[in-house]
Amino acid sequence: TMGCAYWEVGQWEKSIDQLQLSSDIRRRQLGPDHPDTLTALNSLARTYIKAKKTAEAISLLERIRDAREKTVGPDHPDTLTTQHY
């Protein structure tokens, strides 16, 4: 919630910190390929784009895409959303 709130007001670095924390918690509790973990990571990648951290965004989006293709398939809306960025 805090990461999204910071995103909405354009405070990219604070948003990145919160979204990284959120995705780390989800990864530990749910696993790296759980849909909630991947959604949190997708939010983090979007924030990297806004913060002009292109290399980080691309690397993370590729990882998310691969995990989503493996778990829900290449034509699933979540996979396609990841590819949109």
Side-chain angles (χ1 to χ4, degrees):
T1 301
M2 290 302 299
C4 293
Y6 284 128
W7 196 91
E8 289 294 327
V9 297
Q11 293 189 19
W12 313 127
E13 293 304 321
K14 288 182 180 181
S15 180
I16 287 169
D17 291 342
Q18 292 298 313
L19 292 169
Q20 183 66 58
L21 178 62
S22 173
S23 61
D24 288 346
I25 292 168
R26 284 183 168 84
R27 187 179 308 112
R28 281 192 308 271
Q29 291 182 348
L30 303 172
D33 294 338
H34 189 278
D36 291 347
T37 303
L38 297 174
T39 296
L41 289 170
N42 205 73
S43 294
L44 177 59
R46 278 183 34 209
T47 307
Y48 282 150
I49 291 168
K50 289 289 192 178
K52 307 215 182 307
K53 296 183 176 198
T54 307
E56 292 92 333
I58 290 171
S59 176
L60 186 54
L61 287 167
E62 288 173 343
R63 195 171 94 211
I64 297 164
R65 180 204 59 213
D66 293 347
R68 284 185 166 165
E69 284 180 352
K70 182 176 74 174
T71 58
V72 296
D75 297 325
H76 190 277
D78 290 345
T79 306
L80 297 173
T81 296
T82 299
Q83 292 175 343
H84 172 73
Y85 295 107

